[in-house]
Amino acid sequence: MAAIDLLAGSQTISVNPILKENNRIKEEYLYCIKKYVKTAKWQRRKYVKAALKIYDMILKGEAPAREKREFYDDIKKYQYILIFDMAAIAGFQKPVLESKNMRRVLYSMEKDFGWGKTEKKLCGKILQGIGGDEIAWDFVKDAAELREFKDYLKLTDENLRFIREKAYNILVTATMSAGKSTFINALTGKNISLSQNMACTSKIHVIQGKPFEDGFSCEYDHELILNADKEHLMEDNEDNDSNNIIVSTYYRGELGGKRIVIKDSPGVNFSRNENHRKITEQIIRRKKYQLMVYLMNATQMGTEDDGEHLRYVKKYIGRKPILFIVNKVDAFHIEEENIEEIMERQREYLQTLGFKDPKICPVSSKAGYLAKKSQMESLKRVERRELNCFIDYFEQMNLPEYYKKYFPGIFIETGDTEEEQLLKNSGISYVEKIIEYYYEGGK
């Protein structure tokens, strides 16, 4: 699972100061990147090849520049940023940064840019700092030569600290048709998870957050793609013979910038999909997660499949905290059904299965996802109509009153817009805050 750590960071090329330069300078910079990758003999590494595709795309370097003396004078201002980029392309892996091949790169740069003792010392400190030496990193942040790149250093610092932080793992499990994929899309604010009913996949989808938005979603599904589009994210690679698909993206919302890994297990159905059930039960037994999120379909609660799966969870969950999500509450008839009474009946049902004090969160993942999506892009006409209906519907349901009663320590501010308020009214903001509470050590 080393790929999880490799994909933890945001792509720093998206905030690289070289992007402010003209195309010729960017082309020359890209030429240097590729030259030093060859010097380091990294060109066959899977992550390096994927990273170079991003650099090609952003720096528009289709035509190679001609190497000449003036060439290095043009980009001398960015000679230290090149070190950061080489480290990023190496995945910030300390053994790689300390390798003989990296020393070959430094020697090549020393000749190209005419380094003296001062330049060589600073470059050495940069690599030490990236490798985790706090004293060296403080030296780098205070270096006069890097003063104009303070914002870039700040984001790089954020990236490095995020990568070194221990991940908080959340296992999401449910029976079929509970809406797991829509729930995960609502948490991330992005359409990155295809309904596993449609995909018929028996893979564990591992979704990892990033420290800041870089505009990319990454996927490792036999192939490694650092700028995965919807087609790649929605289709499983048949050549992947492992049990995992790893996706990395920035979470929009309350969980943004948190070192949270969501493990989406295959939906189980005890009358079929035997392989799905085995994989899901295996990951539950291994307990390599800090929090379990159990999704239930609001329109199909108390089914035989749910009962079987809940009994299995109760047998193996131990003392791990568990959050019960009752999804699709937008299917209730407000005039005829009382949300608190329905949740109370579900609480009593869970107690009969041995869950002493079940924490139950009613939500509409679809409403939450549309609310987040509307903040980032224009909705289709059908989506806009659906969003407006959700806005009216959840104003009447008044879920905040439920959360105020059963989760008194969780406070969500009133939204400035109807879309922001819908995130609160649909329950998604409350679920995010509760997850954040567990992430920060709450019990």
Side-chain angles (χ1 to χ4, degrees):
M1 300 297 282
I4 289 182
D5 295 326
L6 265 179
L7 298 182
S10 296
Q11 294 296 316
T12 51
I13 184 59
S14 66
V15 292
N16 195 303
I18 196 70
L19 298 180
K20 294 182 286 189
E21 294 290 350
N22 61 47
N23 289 337
R24 179 177 61 82
I25 299 296
K26 288 189 285 188
E27 182 182 293
E28 291 172 349
Y29 188 88
L30 181 63
Y31 175 90
C32 281
I33 289 287
K34 292 182 175 180
K35 173 185 174 179
Y36 298 137
V37 164
K38 287 182 180 178
T39 301
K41 299 180 181 180
W42 293 346
Q43 58 268 43
R44 292 187 177 181
R45 290 173 174 263
K46 183 175 282 191
Y47 185 84
V48 172
K49 288 193 288 186
L52 286 179
K53 288 183 180 179
I54 297 284
Y55 279 72
D56 265 329
M57 182 180 73
I58 291 182
L59 298 179
K60 312 293 184 186
E62 291 83 2
R66 289 187 302 159
E67 188 173 359
K68 52 187 178 180
R69 182 65 259 159
E70 294 82 2
F71 176 100
Y72 295 104
D73 293 337
D74 288 342
I75 59 173
K76 190 174 179 67
K77 174 182 177 181
Y78 300 102
Q79 58 188 328
Y80 302 114
I81 303 301
L82 276 168
I83 300 289
F84 285 101
D85 273 316
M86 289 301 292
I89 288 170
F92 297 114
Q93 298 176 85
K94 187 176 180 180
V96 179
L97 300 180
E98 295 176 346
S99 68
K100 182 189 297 184
N101 284 343
M102 190 64 195
R103 289 196 294 272
R104 286 160 54 93
V105 170
L106 293 180
Y107 181 69
S108 179
M109 293 183 72
E110 179 184 341
K111 291 194 301 180
D112 290 341
F113 293 100
W115 285 349
K117 288 184 179 179
T118 302
E119 291 88 350
K120 286 193 285 185
K121 178 181 179 181
L122 179 53
C123 286
K125 293 291 186 182
I126 289 172
L127 289 177
Q128 290 171 16
I130 290 173
D133 187 325
E134 291 289 345
I135 295 175
W137 188 243
D138 287 339
F139 179 90
V140 171
K141 289 190 289 186
D142 291 336
E145 297 90 334
L146 295 170
R147 194 164 292 152
E148 65 177 298
F149 305 125
K150 285 289 186 183
D151 291 341
Y152 177 75
L153 288 181
K154 184 178 179 181
L155 287 174
T156 301
D157 182 58
E158 191 177 332
N159 219 8
L160 293 172
R161 294 187 185 282
F162 186 86
I163 291 168
R164 295 182 193 125
E165 184 182 343
K166 187 177 179 180
Y168 184 86
N169 294 279
I170 299 172
L171 175 62
V172 181
T173 188
T175 57
M176 301 289 277
S177 76
K180 270 194 303 95
S181 295
T182 307
F183 174 72
I184 289 170
N185 289 340
L187 289 185
T188 63
K190 298 176 181 178
N191 189 20
I192 60 168
S193 183
L194 177 67
S195 167
Q196 293 190 354
N197 293 343
M198 296 169 62
C200 296
T201 182
S202 56
K203 307 289 185 187
I204 298 166
H205 284 67
V206 181
I207 300 103
Q208 172 162 255
K210 290 184 178 183
F212 58 85
E213 182 64 84
D214 58 4
F216 301 108
S217 291
C218 312
E219 183 182 57
Y220 184 40
D221 183 12
H222 184 70
E223 292 182 69
L224 175 59
I225 304 171
L226 298 184
N227 60 326
D229 56 20
K230 184 177 179 181
E231 182 179 351
H232 288 113
L233 291 168
M234 294 297 110
E235 293 183 4
D236 295 345
N237 192 323
E238 294 179 357
D239 293 327
N240 184 357
D241 57 5
S242 76
N243 285 336
N244 300 298
I245 296 172
I246 301 171
V247 174
S248 178
T249 195
Y250 178 75
Y251 298 161
R252 294 170 180 163
E254 296 291 337
L255 303 183
K258 306 290 191 299
R259 187 74 158 91
I260 290 174
V261 174
I262 299 171
K263 297 181 178 181
D264 177 15
S265 61
V268 299
N269 184 305
F270 282 81
S271 59
R272 48 194 172 97
N273 298 318
E274 182 72 12
N275 197 37
H276 289 202
R277 181 176 63 81
K278 286 181 178 179
I279 290 173
T280 296
E281 290 182 350
Q282 185 180 57
I283 194 173
I284 290 171
R285 287 197 308 272
R286 286 179 177 174
K287 297 183 181 179
K288 292 185 177 180
Y289 49 90
Q290 284 73 52
L291 172 67
M292 177 184 285
V293 171
Y294 190 107
L295 249 73
M296 296 173 284
N297 187 337
T299 66
Q300 298 176 12
M301 292 190 291
T303 64
E304 184 178 343
D305 281 340
D306 244 338
E308 289 287 337
H309 194 41
L310 283 165
R311 278 186 278 272
Y312 190 89
V313 167
K314 182 65 183 71
K315 182 177 180 180
Y316 290 101
I317 190 69
R319 295 190 174 186
K320 300 279 186 183
I322 181 169
L323 193 61
F324 293 98
I325 306 294
V326 177
N327 194 22
K328 304 184 182 182
V329 296
D330 48 273
F332 290 153
H333 297 286
I334 300 174
E335 296 83 1
E336 302 172 10
E337 298 173 292
N338 182 291
I339 187 72
E340 187 175 339
E341 290 177 0
I342 295 171
M343 295 304 108
E344 190 56 41
R345 287 198 296 271
Q346 189 63 9
R347 184 173 288 103
E348 291 171 359
Y349 169 68
L350 291 170
Q351 287 172 339
T352 65
L353 296 175
F355 299 98
K356 292 183 179 180
D357 184 23
K359 309 301 180 188
I360 302 177
C361 300
V363 304
S364 169
S365 298
K366 192 169 186 180
Y369 171 67
L370 282 178
K372 280 191 182 180
K373 185 178 180 180
S374 70
Q375 295 174 341
M376 304 303 299
E377 58 187 275
S378 298
L379 299 181
K380 297 175 183 177
R381 186 179 298 177
V382 173
E383 290 177 323
R384 172 51 64 180
R385 283 202 298 265
E386 192 171 19
L387 179 68
N388 290 335
C389 288
F390 279 140
I391 289 171
D392 293 338
Y393 178 89
F394 281 101
E395 282 180 355
Q396 298 176 61
M397 182 173 279
N398 198 11
L399 279 184
E401 283 300 312
Y402 171 88
Y403 283 97
K404 184 178 179 181
K405 179 176 179 178
Y406 290 94
F407 297 89
I410 302 298
F411 173 75
I412 306 293
E413 292 184 358
T414 301
D416 293 330
T417 65
E418 289 183 327
E419 290 80 8
E420 288 180 3
Q421 184 61 25
L422 179 58
L423 284 170
K424 177 178 181 178
N425 289 346
S426 66
I428 288 296
S429 289
Y430 285 99
V431 169
E432 289 177 325
K433 276 289 188 183
I434 293 166
I435 290 174
E436 182 182 23
Y437 177 77
Y438 280 116
Y439 168 80
E440 292 176 348
K443 296 182 180 180

